Amino acid sequence: MTEIISSLANGKVKNMRKLRERKYRDRTQTHLVEGVRAIEEGLAGHAHLTQLLYDHTLAAQQDELAALVATVQRSNAELLPTTREVLGGFSSRDNPHAAIAVFAQRWQTLDTLPLNEQSVWIALESPRDPGNLGTIIRSCEASGASGVILIDHACDPYSPEAMRASTGALFGVTLAKTGLAEFIDWHARSGATLVGTGLERSADYRAPGYAGPIIIAMGTERDGITRQLHDTCQQIVRIPMRGNTDSLNLSVASALMLFEVTNRKYND
């Protein structure tokens, strides 16, 4: 019979709790997923689950949790039955999740990204807010775009904040990360049109035809894309605003761009 883990001092639990910090996620290339439904979304998206920590009492009472445990039992993942108190040590929630899983991170290199007539990628240069990043990932999945390219010093899409904001969409979106110089070199060989946002030499974002593979370049809310990336773009567009506000939240602007470009692809 599998031993029931009853202490936060357990070595496997301690290692799982470390994954709340980015340095450990980067080191192990894994991340946490909390909650039965979110874990099921990960499995449905063919993400690789390595460990499942679950409430052994609730597993005998809740069909959904019991079914998840049975599914994981048929894989090579490690099952770790535990108590409600141990699961409560992972968050400040009064009612802790019934299960927490460790999944492998998934990244693709630039040269493996598919580029065709329907391709729409969003390239985010040094995004800082994980909530914004998670929301952009959600918009990317919802719009049917190809995926997200993170450039330079980006926040972590596998952080708890980004995961919550993505509401499971992360498992349906392709991710890549790169430096700016590498991105510019790859783009020059890619055959894709790079569309940036800004005021200088810009057109209304609804004006271009967006033919062929498209990469939308977005920067930080305060500074936008850097001059180097701006000068690499074949097209610069702006989102017209009628009020006194001179900029939009990054996730809002990204959603507008994503849906405008993907709607062209799917409706033309």
Side-chain angles (χ1 to χ4, degrees):
M1 182 176 176
T2 305
E3 179 183 358
I4 308 300
I5 296 173
S6 58
S7 171
L8 288 169
N10 177 276
K12 292 177 180 178
V13 172
K14 288 170 70 175
N15 285 336
M16 287 179 70
R17 293 182 76 201
K18 288 179 180 178
L19 294 177
R20 294 178 297 179
E21 299 180 36
R22 181 169 187 170
K23 63 180 179 180
Y24 290 105
R25 294 193 297 271
D26 289 346
R27 183 180 302 171
T28 62
Q29 285 298 287
T30 60
H31 66 106
L32 292 177
V33 176
E34 300 184 25
V36 173
R37 182 166 297 181
I39 295 168
E40 289 175 339
E41 288 170 343
L43 293 173
H46 305 291
H48 178 55
L49 186 153
T50 62
Q51 290 177 306
L52 179 70
L53 187 72
Y54 67 95
D55 187 324
H56 75 103
T57 301
L58 287 180
Q61 302 170 1
Q62 294 183 359
D63 292 343
E64 190 178 30
L65 178 57
L68 174 62
V69 171
T71 298
V72 175
Q73 203 164 24
R74 293 190 292 269
S75 70
N76 294 323
E78 184 177 22
L79 282 169
L80 302 171
T82 189
T83 64
R84 183 176 185 273
E85 290 70 28
V86 169
L87 287 164
F90 281 81
S91 71
S92 59
R93 288 165 50 103
D94 293 331
N95 185 27
H97 288 292
I100 297 175
V102 177
F103 279 88
Q105 296 185 21
R106 295 192 296 188
W107 296 96
Q108 285 190 219
T109 61
L110 294 179
D111 287 333
T112 65
L113 300 183
L115 291 172
N116 53 52
E117 179 63 35
Q118 295 297 105
S119 296
V120 179
W121 294 86
I122 185 162
L124 304 174
E125 187 179 25
S126 302
R128 298 177 184 138
D129 187 299
N132 273 344
L133 177 55
T135 303
I136 292 168
I137 289 170
R138 184 177 181 181
S139 295
C140 186
E141 197 275 339
S143 66
S146 307
V148 177
I149 302 169
L150 299 175
I151 301 174
D152 278 350
H153 306 292
C155 57
D156 185 7
Y158 289 105
S159 68
E161 298 87 354
M163 291 288 295
R164 282 193 294 270
S166 75
T167 63
L170 180 73
F171 296 114
V173 170
T174 299
L175 295 177
K177 55 183 175 181
T178 183
L180 180 57
E182 181 185 0
F183 174 80
I184 290 173
D185 179 67
W186 168 77
H187 166 255
R189 298 181 277 107
S190 70
T193 298
L194 185 60
V195 180
T197 53
L199 297 177
E200 185 180 331
R201 63 181 177 89
S202 62
D204 188 305
Y205 79 116
R206 295 162 294 189
Y210 299 121
I214 298 292
I215 304 170
I216 303 166
M218 304 291 291
T220 62
E221 290 177 26
R222 188 183 72 177
D223 302 319
I225 56 177
T226 59
R227 170 56 61 181
Q228 190 174 2
L229 185 56
H230 182 283
D231 291 346
T232 304
C233 294
Q234 289 108 319
Q235 295 179 357
I236 300 294
V237 299
R238 67 183 182 279
I239 299 170
M241 286 173 278
R242 298 183 182 90
N244 295 322
T245 301
D246 60 2
S247 66
L248 291 173
N249 174 277
L250 176 61
S251 63
V252 173
S254 296
L256 287 170
M257 289 296 302
L258 282 165
F259 277 93
E260 180 66 25
V261 178
T262 54
N263 283 341
R264 300 290 187 89
K265 299 290 186 183
Y266 289 103
N267 293 333
D268 287 350

